[in-house]
Amino acid sequence: MLLPAIVFPLCMTYFPMLQGITMGFKNYKLTNINNIYWNHFANFKKLFTPSLTNTFYLTVKNTIVWVAVSLLFQFVIGFGLALVLRKKFRGSSLYQGLVFFPWAVSGFVIALMWRWMFNGTSGVFNDMLMRLNLIQEPIAWLANKKTALYCCILTNIWYGVPYFTIMISAALRGIDPTLYEAADMDGANRFQQFKAITLPSINAVLKLTLLLRVIWIFNFAEIIYTMTNGGPSGSTEILTTLMMKYINSYDYGMAGATGVVCIVVLTIFATIYVSSLKMENAE
């Protein structure tokens, strides 16, 4: 009875992952399928060696900015909306549906929609800003190195806010309302109740959702890949879009090496994060 539950993950998850890792240590190009051989750390050396065509360290910087800024605003806005939706009001069900809507849409569809809105000639944002006399001529948002990454981040924030709203809303509804009644009787104000009751009660959910969201944002390449494909000049490239580019160029060896770097980074982060939580619980 346990066999299907064991065989399915082994075949569909762990075996492909192991194959991908081994490719990172091979010269594995589909354009030269008869010349596949072990090249040990040559792919990693090429990946970490800066050159005019290799912008790996810029990619790492972009990945950090992509994850950190997206996570911060998704969490803050999602938390705020969850607090708003905690109490019923007229039209709250409709409002809740509108907030949760982006989470039900494909990331590629979201990216296509926002790419059109950021269009340099016929985009909604340029039209709106020009009507408000804030700009005099259209701006090529996604073709500018200074703005392209942040346009993608803004899209990702809009897309990811519902995740935190859903998770935190569910956690808030699990808090015993009598705790707030007792706090009211003791004279505690809203901030004191939030600090002493709300945060400790949903602490475990917040930690878990933050960990999962970091991993998902790190691996979430659809928005950048669809909106800018890593351009212009690598200014929006992150590790996962770089890996997809290697796959599209049929260089599975470099793609595997990039994938190994992603696995190592996420493993280190998850280990440190979980260890810090264990230390906090022990204290």
Side-chain angles (χ1 to χ4, degrees), residues 48-282:
F48 289 108
T49 302
S51 66
L52 292 176
T53 57
N54 184 9
T55 57
F56 178 76
Y57 294 101
L58 174 61
T59 301
V60 172
K61 177 185 174 183
N62 291 340
T63 305
I64 294 172
V65 174
W66 164 256
V67 174
V69 179
S70 296
L71 182 72
L72 174 63
F73 284 95
Q74 284 181 9
F75 176 73
V76 172
I77 298 173
F79 204 148
L81 289 175
L83 292 174
V84 171
L85 293 172
R86 187 177 178 183
K87 292 184 178 180
K88 291 291 183 179
F89 55 88
R90 180 177 294 180
S92 60
S93 298
L94 176 61
Y95 181 71
Q96 186 172 348
L98 292 173
V99 170
F100 294 164
F101 169 74
W103 195 245
V105 183
S106 166
F108 284 107
V109 175
I110 296 294
L112 287 171
M113 181 177 69
W114 281 76
R115 187 176 71 178
W116 168 72
M117 289 196 291
F118 281 118
N119 187 279
T121 56
S122 58
V124 172
F125 287 111
N126 277 329
D127 181 66
M128 179 177 63
L129 293 174
M130 291 179 70
R131 288 175 183 273
L132 294 173
N133 293 321
L134 296 177
I135 58 174
Q136 301 302 318
E137 58 184 18
I139 298 174
W141 299 100
L142 299 178
N144 190 321
K145 292 182 180 180
K146 295 181 180 180
T147 59
L149 179 61
Y150 293 100
C151 290
C152 295
I153 290 174
L154 179 61
T155 306
N156 192 33
I157 291 170
W158 184 84
Y159 181 65
V161 162
Y163 169 77
F164 282 107
T165 306
I166 293 169
M167 298 297 291
I168 296 173
S169 292
L172 290 173
R173 289 170 184 169
I175 302 175
D176 187 354
T178 59
L179 295 174
Y180 293 102
E181 294 174 4
D184 278 332
M185 293 179 64
D186 290 336
N189 57 36
R190 291 292 180 87
F191 178 75
Q192 290 172 329
Q193 292 178 22
F194 176 78
K195 183 179 179 182
I197 300 174
T198 305
L199 284 180
S201 299
I202 64 173
N203 190 36
V205 174
L206 293 180
K207 291 174 180 177
L208 179 61
T209 52
L210 284 170
L211 174 61
L212 293 176
R213 196 63 191 146
V214 166
I215 296 172
W216 289 342
I217 293 174
F218 187 96
N219 290 317
F220 190 54
E222 289 96 323
I223 286 177
I224 290 179
Y225 190 78
T226 305
M227 291 181 68
T228 63
N229 196 23
S233 302
S235 60
T236 62
E237 196 84 85
I238 61 174
L239 287 172
T240 46
T241 58
L242 179 63
M243 182 171 61
M244 292 175 70
K245 280 190 174 181
Y246 282 127
I247 292 173
N248 290 337
S249 63
Y250 306 111
D251 192 343
Y252 283 18
M254 289 300 296
T258 309
V260 170
V261 172
C262 292
I263 292 172
V264 170
V265 170
L266 288 176
T267 301
I268 292 173
F269 168 77
T271 302
I272 294 173
Y273 187 83
V274 172
S275 298
S276 65
L277 295 184
K278 289 181 178 179
M279 290 177 62
E280 183 179 328
N281 291 335

